[in-house]
Amino acid sequence: MATWSNLNLQDSASPLMEQLIFFHDHTLLILIMITVLISYLMFMLFFNHYTNRFLLSGQMIEIIWTIMPAIVLLFIAFPSLRLLYLLDEINNPSITLKSIGHQWYWSYEYSDFTNLEFDSYMIPMNEMSSNNFRLLDVDNRIVLPLKSQIRIIISATDVLHSWTIPALGVKVDASPGRLNQTNFYMYRPGLYYGQCSEICGANHSFMPIVIESTTSKNFIQWIKNNI
């Protein structure tokens, strides 16, 4: 999770988030190069005392500053399109999880297992223990196995919500009467925190998401204990 004074993106815990960070750095590098070039040109124009009194038009420079931005946009567009297709691709998921947004909590259903569903509420401050995170911890965590392809189906019962886990590169709208789906793959054990990212009412800030990534053995044991 992000810590104080951290201006960068969270450390990735999935291949998709790695690709998102690479694309972010790639685009940021191009923007820095453009900013430096434009700043240099403006500086030279402001402090240049020489002018060409015979210069009426410059077709060559106009061709250059039309073609160059188009080429730069292609360098951004192709990686962006590749990443969009990667985000939408779902191949043989091992587990399907259904997430339903309510005002103001999340409920989850493990569709591959019978009678396994629960609600997940934020832990109030007066019930928190010393190792809990304020406004982020919940009473019932999502437990999922690492190194498995997970498909998540997302919907809502009342208003628009958004199911978001930054470390996994997942952000999907939960729309009433509609099913949205995406997939993710976790390669590290740990706890991954998220929050609703769509303003959904007075308690919008108080419906966090917590995923506990664990080994397949521990996940199966957790399933047995909860069925």
Side-chain angles (χ1 to χ4, degrees):
M1 62 178 290
T3 54
W4 296 109
S5 74
N6 184 11
L7 300 179
N8 298 318
L9 298 171
Q10 291 187 22
D11 292 338
S12 65
S14 72
L16 289 178
M17 189 56 188
E18 277 189 357
Q19 294 297 320
L20 286 169
I21 292 175
F22 290 155
F23 177 69
H24 169 270
D25 296 342
H26 168 78
T27 308
L28 190 63
L29 180 62
I30 293 176
L31 291 176
I32 291 173
M33 291 170 60
I34 293 172
T35 303
V36 170
L37 176 62
I38 298 301
S39 301
Y40 172 76
L41 293 175
M42 291 177 64
F43 181 83
M44 295 302 293
L45 284 173
F46 285 144
F47 294 97
N48 184 14
H49 299 289
Y50 299 101
T51 57
N52 189 344
R53 60 194 178 111
F54 299 107
L55 182 63
L56 299 177
S57 64
Q59 291 187 359
M60 181 57 68
I61 191 65
E62 290 192 14
I63 292 173
I64 292 173
W65 70 40
T66 301
I67 293 177
M68 287 300 294
I71 295 174
V72 170
L73 288 177
L74 289 177
F75 275 97
I76 297 175
F78 286 136
S80 175
L81 289 172
R82 171 181 169 274
L83 189 53
L84 282 174
Y85 279 103
L86 283 175
L87 291 171
D88 286 338
E89 188 175 355
I90 299 178
N91 289 323
N92 300 322
S94 303
I95 296 173
T96 298
L97 173 69
K98 187 174 182 181
S99 173
I100 303 173
H102 307 264
Q103 288 182 315
W104 288 273
Y105 65 96
W106 295 97
S107 61
Y108 299 99
E109 301 175 11
Y110 285 76
S111 306
D112 302 313
F113 308 96
T114 57
N115 301 325
L116 183 50
E117 55 184 67
F118 55 87
D119 298 331
S120 180
Y121 290 86
M122 185 191 75
I123 300 177
M125 288 188 62
N126 57 351
E127 299 178 12
M128 290 174 56
S129 59
S130 58
N131 59 345
N132 288 141
F133 290 106
R134 177 178 171 270
L135 302 181
L136 284 178
D137 264 304
V138 296
D139 53 358
N140 291 312
R141 297 170 178 167
I142 310 165
V143 179
L144 291 170
L146 55 89
K147 296 183 180 179
S148 299
Q149 198 72 32
I150 311 296
R151 177 177 64 174
I152 179 164
I153 300 173
I154 299 168
S155 186
T157 58
D158 34 48
V159 298
L160 283 175
H161 300 278
S162 185
W163 198 86
T164 306
I165 301 289
L168 302 178
V170 177
K171 182 180 185 297
V172 183
D173 287 340
S175 306
R178 177 175 177 176
L179 295 177
N180 292 330
Q181 70 172 352
T182 188
N183 72 303
F184 56 89
Y185 178 95
M186 300 177 291
Y187 54 63
R188 290 192 305 188
L191 295 178
Y192 303 112
Y193 295 87
Q195 291 175 300
C196 176
S197 298
E198 186 75 34
I199 297 177
C200 55
N203 290 336
H204 156 68
S205 301
F206 307 109
M207 47 184 302
I209 306 159
V210 182
I211 291 182
E212 181 178 343
S213 174
T214 184
T215 61
S216 298
K217 181 180 179 181
N218 291 338
F219 172 72
I220 293 172
Q221 186 62 44
W222 179 81
I223 291 291
K224 289 179 179 178
N225 295 336
N226 287 275
I227 290 181

